[in-house]
Each structure stands twice: as C-alpha cells, then as structure tokens.
Amino acid sequence: MRSNLYHNTTAQWIVYVVFFALMAFVPIVIDDTFTTNLFARFLVLGMLALSVSLVWGFGGILSLGQGIAFGLAAYGMGMTMQMQSQDPESSPIPSFMLTNELTKLPLLWEPFWHTPTGIVLALLVPTVFFLIFGAMMFQARVAGVFVAIVTLAMLSAWYSMAFDMQPYTAGFNGISPPSPLKLGEHIVDPYSNEAYWIALGMLTLATLGLKLLLQSKFGLIVQAVREDPERARFLGYSVSGYQIAVFTVSGFVAALAGVLWVMIVQYVSPTSLEVTFSVSMVIWAAVGGRMSLLGAILGAFFVNGIQSYLGDEMLYGFLLVLGGLFILIVRFLPSGLAGLLESLLERLVRRPADQRGQ
Amino acid sequence: MSVNHFWTAFAFEPFMNALLIGLSVASVWLIAALGLAIVYGTMGVINMAHGEFVMLGAYSAFVLETVVGVPFLLCVPAAFVIVGLIGAAIERGLVRHLYKRPLDTLLATWGLSLVLIQGVRLILGPEPKNLQSPAWLNASLRVWVFELSWFRVFIFGVTIAAFVLTWWLLHRTRLGLMVRAVMQNKEMAAVHGIDAGKVFTLTFAYGAGLAGLAGSMFGAIKNVFPDMGSGYIVEAFLVVVVGGVGSLLGSLFSSIGLGEIYSVFAYFTNGTFAKFWLFLLVVIFLRFRPQGLFADAMARR
C-alpha cells in the first residue's frame, strides 16, 4: 500500500529546504534594488501568514488579532530606529513631539535610546502581551468565534490608541525614521540584498523551527486540541495550556515580522493595526492552505504578488476579486491550494491501488 | 489632542448631557446589533458583512431619495425591505452552505463584505454621498438641562419600536415560536414539521433588513460612503457578545451599559481613548463571564 507523498515527512523537509535555498538566489537573479525590497516585504508578509497558519491551521484558534503583535513590534522597532537619529545633546526628542507640545522625551520612549534594548523590547512586549491575553481568554474557555471577536476588539482598541496618542506615536502620520537601521557601525540598507537575506534567514528559521515543533509530541497534542478540545481535556491534557502556548508563539512570530517590516520599509503607522490588515493575513493563509506552513507562506506571496503586479489603480478591482476568491476558497476549497495539492497527490496513489483491488 | 488639556473636569450640565448622549449611542449600537444578535442567536452564524448591510441600507435610501424622489421617512422602511431581500438571496446563495462550519461563515461573510464594499465603490463611486432628512429632524430639542437633536430622538424611537417588534415577533407569534424551536434544537424542530431552511432564510433576511433600516438612518446623521459599515461592526459584535448570545434583553442592557461607559469615558477624556478603555473592559468582562450578561436564556443546541 503506497501512501500519499504529501504526508511523507522526508519529502516535506526536502521541499522546504529546497524552497528556502532557491529563495536565497532571488536577489542575485533579479538584480534590481526596488524589486529586491519588494520581495523582502513579501517574505515578511509570508511570516505573518506563517503565524496565522500556526495559530489557526494547527491550533484551531481563529485569531483576528495577529496585527496586534505585528503592530506593537513595528512601533517598537520604529521607535528604536527613530532614536538612532536623535542625539541626547543637540536633538533629544523627535520633531513630531515638538509639534505636539512635548518638551521632554516621554518615559515610554526612554529605553529606545539603546538599540539592542529597543529591539528586545519590540519582540518581548508583544509576546508577553499575547501570553497574558491568551491566558485571559483560554483559561476562561473562550473558544471558536468568540476568540475571533475578542481579538478583533483588542485589535481595534490598540488601533485607536496608536491613532489617538499623537504626541507619543505621531498619530495618523506614523513614525518614519530618517535613516536606516544601524547595528553598531554597520548600516542595514533596506534596498540591499543583505536586508533581503536577513528577512529570508529569519523566515527560514521561523518556518523550520515551527515545523520541528509541530512534528514533536507538543505539535501533535496541539492538533488534538484543535480537533476535539473536550476529548483532549478528558485525556488529561491542559487544553488552555497548549492554546496559550500556541497563541504566544504565533504572537512572537508576528512580532518578529513587525521588527523586520520596519527594518525594510523604514516606516510604521496605525495601518499596521488596522482590522483589514489582520484579516488579510487570514486570507493569505486560507488561500495557500492554513494546514501547511509553506502553503500559507506561498499564499501570502501569491496574493501580494498579484496585488503589486496589478498596481494601485486596479486596487479596488483587486479587492473585489480578492473578496470573491476568498468566498470561493472558503466555500469549495477550505484547505486552500495546499489542500488541492494534497488531493491531487492522493488521487495519484489511489488509482493504481483501486485497480489492484479489482 | 494636546496632553495639557487631556482631562475634562466635571461639570453638572455637560455631564448630564454626556449621560444622555450615552443613551443615544446605545440606541445606535443596539439597532446596529439587533439583526446580528438574532442571526447569531438563531443560526450560530457570525455575519461579518452585517456592517455592509448597514451600508447597503444607507445607499438604498440615498438612491431612492435622489433618483426616485421618495421622501426620507419612507426611505427608512424601504431600506428594510430592500436589504432584507438582498439578505435572503445571500443566505440562499452562500451562508446556507456553511452552517456546519461557523468559523468559515465568519470568513466567507468577510469576503462578502469586501465584495460589497468594492462593488458599491466601483458602481456608485468612492466619494461620500449626502442623504437629506427633513428640516424638522435637524432641529434641536431642549428639556431642562438636556439638549438633543430631533434626529437622535427619532433614532431612539425607531430603535425601541424595532426592539419591541422583534420581541413580539419572537415571543408572541407562531413564526417566532418556530424560530425559537429551531434555535433550541434544529433536528427536533424539523421532526415536528418545521422547515428549518425556511426559518433560517427568514431570520437572516430579517436581520439584514434591520441593518438596512439602521443604515438608512446612520446615512442621514453622517454621510453615505462605501466602508461606513466597518465603523459599526466591532461595537455591534461587542453588544451581542456582552449581552449573551440569543438574549434580546441582554443586547438591550449591554448596549445601554456600553453606550454609557463609552460616553462617560469620552466626556472625561476623548472619543478614541474611551473606545480603547471600552474594548479593554469588554475583554476583561468576558474573561469572568464568557457567556455574557444573560447567559443562555434560550440555549442553542
């Protein structure tokens, strides 16, 4: 009896490694700084789809709040990069604060003078927030659509905060650090191949790390919890514990994406906390296949690739098509393109087996 | 916003008005949430396109008023009928196929909301439209220290009427009995000869119609524009969730509570800050009472 190649772990690992190895050559082949930067952005968006795949596809938790981790981390990174351009003596506070009647740097901003502290905070704060938020929800056994609504409310809360706290966040305009990220003496040019490789390296680490995690016993229990929380609970597993863990890890991955995003685009605004953006992440993962880490990443590449190919004039038409596509996928192809591949490979092994049976 | 004048001090007259505005906000949120509450309570469907039904209501009122020349007060019930019909079609075409997958209905209806927003934007243009209401509705009413526009009073009245009508339909008619039977146990109701499919279509259409009704009024207070619905959807969901699924009375009390909390916070600080605290409080509230204020008044399945 032959089994479906799609479920073969060795084959999966080969595909994953070959994919990321090939992606490394992309900037050498295209040799155009603008496109390299665009592809680096896709990598980061792919990382967001990855976090959705983890929490929703594997954990069964439909979080519409992944943008919280992304946005908080992006603001942390934006603040860090902004402070790199400030000088304690000559220009101690960013100019947008001056126009908002602030005379000294707010306490909230102080830690970001120090770049490593700033980056660590940008990653740590969203992760801890997801830990606390997840503990609040899952210990109260909030589940299903309620999680979606509560995360949505939380996201809206943060959005209005980022929008409204103008003296601290520059409000609607957002923070645009005047110069690229400096690591010690080294400058990371967002349009360089180096920035692309940093993003790719992080995405590879995150994907392979999550793949290992999901193949472990932990990953299997997480999927058991997704399939039937009651039964997992009766078997003695702490359902809320596993849910909190998955939610927190997904928050960390989204936060990592937020940090990389600002490194690459050198800008952060409340749009990173918009509801539409967070739901878009879910769409990317759904199109590619939420039950496949690589599928979700490819879904993000695919949707965003089409979007930037069509350009801004076609944007409204594009959103119309995206909405329609999404309805069709949910209706007819709930496991996305990866699910399509799975059933195609299934058919490949099924047919000879059926003939033998006759 | 400036940091220096962030806090507003207490003063009797403005504060009393803030309380009144809270009630007015509550009526807006309640009429936006009522349809959602019924649809979720009966069918277990989270309709993310509910806000877009609000938008469609506003646009149908606008088209009727400017193109056909129907007076505003007639546009309001007309919007109910038009959006109700659209809702019935959507239930038959899309939602029906996803009943067994509640998370997927959420996503599919979100896709639908994208399609509706962009469709309207392409057909009628992105610029905000102006919905005219009779002059007397825009006048202000002053009683003791309270001051409120007649329009707010009008919305208040329509909301109460819609609420009472819905309650009456659910609890005092044969149709309502069927709806409640399906709500409690779909299979059992079907055994007793109730056509659950038809009940679902009617319920969804009624919920959509209520959204349309709300939209025709919201369009007249503010403007009519393609993504106006997204401004109500989160608040409407919170009213439903805090009130308790399937409980009309819960929605009533939660809308009043949330509206007042919002308005009082908004009085002392400002609107967006108030929203932040409101959302945060709701999340904390759900931590301790995930079933909402009125838990399972009519248990679903």
Side-chain angles (χ1 to χ4, degrees):
Chain A
M1 166 101 191
R2 281 197 291 169
S3 60
N4 189 343
L5 193 62
Y6 185 86
H7 299 293
N8 185 322
T9 350
T10 321
Q12 287 174 0
W13 277 95
I14 292 173
V15 171
Y16 275 58
V17 170
V18 168
F19 171 76
F20 285 117
L22 286 179
M23 287 300 287
F25 291 101
V26 168
I28 300 170
V29 177
I30 51 182
D31 194 32
D32 159 30
T33 52
F34 179 77
T35 319
T36 305
N37 182 268
L38 187 69
F39 274 71
R41 292 177 188 208
F42 290 169
L43 291 173
V44 176
L45 300 176
M47 193 181 274
L48 286 173
L50 179 73
S51 86
V52 173
S53 170
L54 171 70
V55 76
W56 179 39
F58 289 90
I61 301 160
L62 179 51
S63 159
L64 298 180
Q66 296 305 99
I68 300 173
F70 178 83
L72 290 184
Y75 268 99
M77 190 63 173
M79 287 153 84
T80 308
M81 283 166 68
Q82 177 71 44
M83 292 317 286
Q84 288 187 334
S85 308
Q86 305 293 331
D87 183 86
E89 301 300 322
S90 56
S91 64
I93 76 173
S95 56
F96 74 83
M97 289 185 186
L98 292 173
T99 51
N100 280 294
E101 300 175 28
L102 281 191
T103 46
K104 66 188 252 295
L105 194 71
L107 201 61
L108 176 71
W109 276 70
E110 284 293 346
F112 294 92
W113 277 117
H114 186 237
T115 302
T117 312
I119 296 177
V120 168
L121 277 178
L123 289 170
L124 197 65
V125 169
T127 311
V128 170
F129 177 78
F130 265 55
L131 179 69
I132 297 170
F133 185 35
M136 274 179 69
M137 282 194 300
F138 300 122
Q139 280 180 355
R141 298 199 185 174
V142 175
V145 284
F146 280 72
V147 174
I149 293 173
V150 171
T151 47
L152 193 67
M154 200 43 127
L155 178 69
S156 309
W158 280 108
Y159 172 77
S160 54
M161 206 61 170
F163 201 90
D164 190 57
M165 292 276 108
Q166 208 171 332
Y168 307 102
T169 64
F172 175 72
N173 298 324
I175 304 167
S176 35
S179 51
L181 178 70
K182 283 192 287 286
L183 294 171
E185 292 302 301
H186 181 71
I187 294 173
V188 184
D189 177 6
Y191 287 89
S192 65
N193 291 356
E194 185 198 2
Y196 175 91
W197 282 324
I198 292 177
L200 180 66
M202 290 296 175
L203 180 63
T204 311
L205 278 181
T207 313
L208 299 185
L210 287 185
K211 183 140 186 62
L212 270 180
L213 186 72
L214 289 169
Q215 282 178 359
S216 69
K217 186 181 173 214
F218 173 86
L220 293 178
I221 300 170
V222 162
Q223 292 174 64
V225 167
R226 171 194 69 197
E227 290 303 319
D228 195 333
E230 279 308 299
R231 195 172 290 181
R233 192 173 288 125
F234 288 146
L235 288 173
Y237 295 113
S238 159
V239 169
S240 63
Y242 283 95
Q243 288 176 322
I244 294 167
V246 166
F247 191 65
T248 310
V249 174
S250 85
F252 174 76
V253 174
L256 187 60
V259 166
L260 291 171
W261 181 255
V262 179
M263 181 190 87
I264 288 164
V265 304
Q266 225 178 308
Y267 174 63
V268 51
S269 77
T271 47
S272 59
L273 289 159
E274 261 180 5
V275 169
T276 327
F277 185 53
S278 283
V279 184
S280 300
M281 300 169 200
V282 175
I283 297 190
W284 307 332
V287 168
R290 59 184 168 179
M291 311 262 226
S292 159
L293 297 178
L294 188 59
I297 295 171
L298 288 174
F301 290 179
F302 177 67
V303 175
N304 287 291
I306 296 179
Q307 188 165 2
S308 63
Y309 179 74
L310 290 178
D312 280 346
E313 307 110 82
M314 274 293 291
L315 186 64
Y316 293 151
F318 169 75
L319 287 173
L320 189 69
V321 174
L322 182 66
L325 178 76
F326 192 47
I327 295 176
L328 289 178
I329 291 232
V330 170
R331 170 84 173 79
F332 296 106
L333 207 63
S335 350
L337 297 176
L340 193 65
L341 178 69
E342 182 184 7
S343 52
L344 284 180
L345 288 173
E346 183 72 37
R347 199 168 289 178
L348 215 65
V349 290
R350 206 39 99 53
R351 204 162 281 159
D354 286 349
Q355 281 161 357
R356 263 203 305 277
Q358 277 168 1
Chain B
M1 184 202 76
S2 141
V3 194
N4 304 334
H5 5 93
F6 182 67
W7 294 99
T8 310
F10 176 84
F12 180 71
E13 203 164 304
F15 185 77
M16 291 307 278
N17 271 297
L19 289 182
L20 184 66
I21 291 167
L23 274 186
S24 173
V25 168
S27 73
V28 167
W29 289 353
L30 180 61
I31 190 82
L34 207 49
L36 205 61
I38 295 163
V39 168
Y40 185 49
T42 314
M43 308 157 69
V45 166
I46 289 282
N47 178 18
M48 294 293 278
H50 193 75
E52 279 54 56
F53 289 158
V54 170
M55 177 270 289
L56 287 178
Y59 271 99
S60 19
F62 168 76
V63 170
L64 282 177
E65 193 185 61
T66 49
V67 181
V68 189
V70 179
F72 175 74
L73 288 181
L74 281 179
C75 289
V76 176
F80 175 84
V81 176
I82 294 171
V83 181
L85 289 175
I86 297 174
I90 286 169
E91 198 277 338
R92 282 282 157 107
L94 175 67
V95 180
R96 160 147 309 192
H97 305 285
L98 298 167
Y99 282 136
K100 295 200 178 94
R101 301 183 273 157
L103 286 184
D104 286 352
T105 38
L106 191 155
L107 295 170
T109 49
W110 200 82
L112 178 69
S113 83
L114 263 188
V115 170
L116 291 175
I117 293 175
Q118 304 310 331
V120 166
R121 192 173 268 157
L122 284 177
I123 297 167
L124 295 160
E127 63 281 349
K129 305 275 195 284
N130 208 348
L131 187 60
Q132 293 293 329
S133 52
W136 62 270
L137 270 180
N138 297 317
S140 252
L141 170 73
R142 202 181 155 84
V143 180
W144 189 42
V145 293
F146 295 119
E147 197 168 350
L148 202 63
S149 77
W150 273 105
F151 208 108
R152 293 274 175 183
V153 179
F154 174 67
I155 293 181
F156 205 79
V158 172
T159 304
I160 290 174
F163 182 83
V164 171
L165 178 73
T166 308
W167 190 88
W168 179 79
L169 275 174
L170 264 181
H171 293 270
R172 289 288 179 273
T173 64
R174 194 172 159 70
L175 180 68
L177 192 67
M178 283 155 71
V179 171
R180 281 183 296 139
V182 172
M183 196 187 271
Q184 285 180 2
N185 192 325
K186 190 177 151 193
E187 285 75 25
M188 225 38 185
V191 167
H192 285 267
I194 296 172
D195 184 348
K198 200 174 270 174
V199 168
F200 281 169
T201 310
L202 272 175
T203 313
F204 198 83
Y206 184 75
L210 283 179
L213 179 82
S216 66
M217 297 188 297
F218 298 167
I221 340 178
K222 292 181 181 166
N223 280 322
V224 183
F225 50 96
D227 47 6
M228 64 184 282
S230 53
Y232 300 97
I233 191 75
V234 175
E235 286 82 351
F237 272 128
L238 294 187
V239 166
V240 176
V241 171
V242 169
V245 173
S247 164
L248 277 185
L249 219 54
S251 295
L252 177 69
F253 282 106
S254 77
S255 67
I256 294 174
L258 295 181
E260 286 297 351
I261 292 173
Y262 168 75
S263 181
V264 168
F265 271 125
Y267 169 79
F268 285 112
T269 59
N270 65 54
T272 31
F273 205 68
K275 226 161 231 183
F276 176 79
W277 284 108
L278 183 73
F279 291 164
L280 205 65
L281 281 177
V282 167
V283 172
I284 294 170
F285 171 81
L286 287 175
R287 163 67 183 85
F288 294 103
R289 225 182 141 73
Q291 71 277 41
L293 283 174
F294 287 63
D296 282 334
M298 295 176 280
R300 207 168 55 76
R301 279 171 277 273

